[in-house]
């Protein structure tokens, strides 16, 4: 089965080691370029209501933080408090809130991990958060049960053969599109998709897959 994140925590949040090993897991980490990623976050700051309706320059320079909720401040045993999505009290702000966790306005600001280069606490900017998230996502390769990690740029998945530019030489895939991702998985892991699933053409044994057809502006904001 395909899962978005570990232990029920959506893949957009910091990932932590699963309580139980997930055997024979192949992790695929997809990264969008920082320019489009920041703009999508600014346009739709899901789970970041404090940063709603900001101009670009203010958005990228504002500290990525907010105040603790009243429920947080009333806690007498913060260390033993269980927060949203399996986080602990020192990992997010707020830990507890009466807002619906399924709503876009549900606040969840991740804090620097204790091992972060900048020390524990709020991030000074969104881009510092992004840097730590990239390190975190690449680090899932060390999780028990993960047999391999395949990092890929979203732009390489969404570009088709007719839209190749000078950046192709820096591509994270052997060729553009989903078919290129399948080729990279096969080269890196020796795994081969089931021919009956339609991923392999009958003519020459090559991978065949339609392009995503979705540029960065069409990305689902819930997965940014």
């Amino acid at each position: 089965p395909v899962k978005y994140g570990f232990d029920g925590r959506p893949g957009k949040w910091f990932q932590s080691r699963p309580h139980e090993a997930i055997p024979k897991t192949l992790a695929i980490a997809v990264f969008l370029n920082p320019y489009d990623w920041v703009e999508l976050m600014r346009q739709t700051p899901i789970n970041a209501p404090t940063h709603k309706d900001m101009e670009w320059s203010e958005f990228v320079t504002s500290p990525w933080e907010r105040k603790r909720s009243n429920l947080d401040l009333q806690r007498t045993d913060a260390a033993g408090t269980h927060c949203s999505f399996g986080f602990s009290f020192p990992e997010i702000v707020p830990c507890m809130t009466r807002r619906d966790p399924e709503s876009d306005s549900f606040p969840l600001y991740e804090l620097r991990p204790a091992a972060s280069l900048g020390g524990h606490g709020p991030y000074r900017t969104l881009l510092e958060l992004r840097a730590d998230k990239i390190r975190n996502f690449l680090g899932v390769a060390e999780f028990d049960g993960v047999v391999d990690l395949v990092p890929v740029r979203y732009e390489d998945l969404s570009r088709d053969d007719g839209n190749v530019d000078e950046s192709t030489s820096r591509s994270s895939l052997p060729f553009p599109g989903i078919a290129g991702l399948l080729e990279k998985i096969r080269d890196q892991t020796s795994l081969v998709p089931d021919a009956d699933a339609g991923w392999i053409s009958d003519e020459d044994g090559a991978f065949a897959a339609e392009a995503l057809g979705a540029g960065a502006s069409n990305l689902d904001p819930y997965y940014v």
Side-chain angles (χ1 to χ4, degrees):
V2 177
K3 295 185 178 181
Y4 177 53
F6 290 83
D7 268 5
R9 181 181 295 175
K12 63 181 180 180
W13 306 122
F14 280 120
Q15 298 297 300
S16 59
R17 290 183 179 275
H19 294 98
E20 297 182 2
I22 306 175
K24 298 182 179 179
T25 296
L26 172 65
I28 300 175
V30 182
F31 302 103
L32 180 66
N33 74 81
Y35 306 103
D36 288 325
W37 183 80
V38 167
E39 181 60 10
L40 287 169
M41 290 282 287
R42 187 188 70 84
Q43 292 176 355
T44 313
I46 295 173
N47 303 124
T50 304
H51 290 72
K52 187 176 180 181
D53 299 327
M54 284 186 175
E55 294 297 327
W56 193 90
S57 59
E58 180 186 12
F59 185 76
V60 297
T61 58
S62 294
W64 199 249
E65 63 180 347
R66 63 160 288 152
K67 295 180 179 179
R68 285 279 180 191
S69 66
N70 290 333
L71 291 176
D72 282 2
L73 297 176
Q74 293 169 6
R75 299 302 301 176
T76 57
D77 180 22
T81 301
H82 297 287
C83 309
S84 307
F85 300 109
F87 283 106
S88 64
F89 194 91
E91 292 178 322
I92 61 171
V93 172
C95 170
M96 304 178 68
T97 175
R98 292 189 175 90
R99 296 190 190 184
D100 180 2
E102 299 300 322
S103 70
D104 293 352
S105 62
F106 179 77
L108 198 160
Y109 284 76
E110 294 167 292
L111 301 175
R112 292 180 183 274
S116 173
L117 295 177
H120 186 62
Y123 283 94
R124 291 177 295 183
T125 67
L126 176 65
L127 289 174
E128 288 189 353
L129 169 64
R130 173 186 167 90
D132 265 2
K133 283 204 170 184
I134 290 174
R135 283 187 281 266
N136 174 259
F137 294 163
L138 294 177
V140 305
E142 305 300 321
F143 288 4
D144 293 338
V146 174
V147 296
D148 214 331
L149 169 73
V150 177
V152 59
R153 298 192 315 175
Y154 176 81
E155 292 82 4
D156 297 333
L157 289 173
S158 61
R159 191 179 64 237
D160 59 30
D161 290 325
N163 189 26
V164 178
D165 56 28
E166 65 275 4
S167 66
T168 302
S169 61
R170 301 189 301 272
S171 175
S172 59
L173 300 175
F175 47 85
I178 299 295
L181 173 60
L182 295 175
E183 180 75 18
K184 182 171 183 177
I185 291 174
R186 180 170 67 178
D187 291 346
Q188 191 167 321
T189 67
S190 298
L191 294 173
V192 178
D194 184 351
D196 295 333
W199 292 109
I200 302 177
S201 65
D202 296 330
E203 293 79 10
D204 53 12
F207 289 118
E210 294 183 2
L212 287 180
S217 61
N218 298 317
L219 269 174
D220 187 335
Y222 289 92
Y223 291 91
V224 173

